Amino acid sequence: MAPMDIRPDSHGKVRDIYDCGDSLLMVASDRISAFDFILPDEIPHKGEVLTRISAFWFDKFADLVPNHVISLDPADFPKEFAPYADYLTGRSMLVKKAQTLPIECIVRGYLTGSGKKTYDLDGTVCGIRLPEGLTEASQLPEPIFTPSTKAELGDHDENISFERCAQIVGDDLAAQLRDASLAIYKAAAEYAATRGIIIADTKFEFGLIDGQLTIIDECLTPDSSRFWPAEGYAPGAVQPSYDKQYVRDWLKANWDMTGEPPHLPAEVIAGTASRYQEAFQIITGTEFQPMKES
């Protein structure tokens, strides 16, 4: 199914956003990004997986933190989108407008990625000192809130301290962001453990709706999180994952990070699609069946 021919008001790495007056229509494409680049190949049904997993978590934690969702049913969308209902089904949501906050709210429960790099340098992650002797994939004593700036498309996010976060958004709001992020992560990690998944880390985005802190964009998807199978987990090595780490690893082995990113081999595309769909099935307890053909 071809995408819509209506020009989006905002074109992100993965999502296209349409301004509907007092609401927004967010459409998750099958695009995939890595290292802040949009890759030239798409991952079949990825947009649907992201949207439906986000909807699952938004609903699950609705009593914990408000979210921006109005509807996932194309019948509820503005009439100009009716001709595209087949494409929109499963991959789009109508949401309330929010005053977005310029902070990526990252929570880490395990040591990996950029956190592992700074820990190896000076024993800290975003200014938080951690115990000595931790290794790749070590579980942290407690999950930590490690915010970053929200970069423009093509630029890189910058990890910052909580103190810097407070300078940007104010002390009270920074505390709210930290507490809400940690609360959602802990609840999600506890649930995911019952499904055989470790949530190593994740990224949230928040905004203000009528002055109330509200979670927006996506929630605990394979794009915004590292999901590891609990079976076989062993610190000291990079863990297998249900997220786009597979793509990152292939790129690191086959690209020098200069110029435009290369096309992905067919087996990497298929393997990534299967990992995303497996994550959906394990987390939701429902077999993934595309609502419409990608």
Side-chain angles (χ1 to χ4, degrees):
M1 177 63 66
M4 301 184 296
D5 57 10
I6 302 176
R7 184 183 297 276
D9 294 281
S10 176
H11 180 77
K13 294 174 185 174
V14 173
R15 286 169 183 77
D16 294 328
I17 300 176
Y18 300 82
D19 192 327
C20 302
D22 58 357
S23 60
L24 299 172
L25 182 65
M26 297 179 59
V27 182
S29 72
D30 291 337
R31 297 189 295 269
I32 188 166
S33 67
F35 306 112
D36 293 316
F37 287 89
I38 298 173
L39 305 187
D41 303 286
E42 295 190 340
I43 305 300
H45 304 298
K46 175 176 173 285
E48 187 174 339
V49 169
L50 297 183
T51 299
R52 291 171 63 185
I53 286 182
S54 288
F56 171 84
W57 292 115
F58 283 146
D59 182 66
K60 188 172 187 63
F61 297 134
D63 293 337
L64 190 61
V65 179
N67 63 71
H68 65 164
V69 178
I70 297 173
S71 177
L72 278 75
D73 185 350
D76 296 329
F77 300 169
K79 61 182 180 181
E80 62 264 35
F81 296 99
Y84 309 101
D86 281 357
Y87 175 72
L88 293 171
T89 296
R91 67 170 63 247
S92 57
M93 58 175 67
L94 190 69
V95 302
K96 302 171 187 173
K97 282 187 173 179
Q99 176 192 340
T100 59
L101 299 173
I103 298 293
E104 302 275 10
C105 294
I106 300 165
V107 179
R108 304 174 192 267
Y110 292 75
L111 188 65
T112 191
S114 63
K116 172 69 164 50
K117 291 180 181 178
T118 61
Y119 174 81
D120 288 346
L121 288 174
D122 61 13
T124 70
V125 177
C126 290
I128 300 171
R129 182 154 298 281
L130 297 176
E132 295 181 1
L134 299 182
T135 186
E136 171 66 38
S138 287
Q139 184 173 13
L140 303 180
E142 288 289 336
I144 57 175
F145 176 67
T146 59
S148 76
T149 58
K150 191 180 296 185
E152 296 296 323
L153 186 62
D155 292 333
H156 296 278
D157 297 340
E158 178 188 354
N159 291 338
I160 58 175
S161 66
F162 177 76
E163 290 73 22
R164 177 61 184 142
C165 173
Q167 290 174 357
I168 294 171
V169 300
D171 292 345
D172 289 347
L173 203 49
Q176 289 184 56
L177 290 172
R178 178 195 60 204
D179 295 348
S181 298
L182 288 169
I184 301 170
Y185 173 83
K186 290 176 181 178
E190 183 177 330
Y191 166 79
T194 70
R195 307 292 304 167
I197 282 184
I198 292 169
I199 303 178
D201 52 35
T202 194
K203 176 181 68 178
F204 302 115
E205 295 198 36
F206 290 90
L208 297 175
I209 298 178
D210 297 327
Q212 185 174 36
L213 190 69
T214 303
I215 188 168
I216 62 173
D217 195 44
E218 63 182 318
C219 185
L220 292 154
T221 73
D223 263 16
S224 65
S225 316
R226 284 187 175 90
F227 295 137
W228 297 339
E231 184 178 2
Y233 164 71
V238 174
Q239 306 297 300
S241 64
Y242 295 112
D243 50 62
K244 62 182 177 182
Q245 191 61 43
Y246 182 45
V247 170
R248 294 190 193 101
D249 291 344
W250 185 88
L251 287 171
K252 285 191 288 187
N254 294 276
W255 182 40
D256 63 3
M257 304 295 168
T258 61
E260 294 299 314
H263 283 278
L264 300 173
E267 63 270 19
V268 173
I269 293 172
T272 303
S274 69
R275 282 165 170 79
Y276 273 68
Q277 293 172 29
E278 188 174 358
F280 172 90
Q281 292 173 182
I282 294 173
I283 288 169
T284 67
T286 304
E287 182 180 359
F288 179 78
Q289 293 290 343
M291 298 179 73
K292 295 290 180 181
E293 282 304 310
S294 184

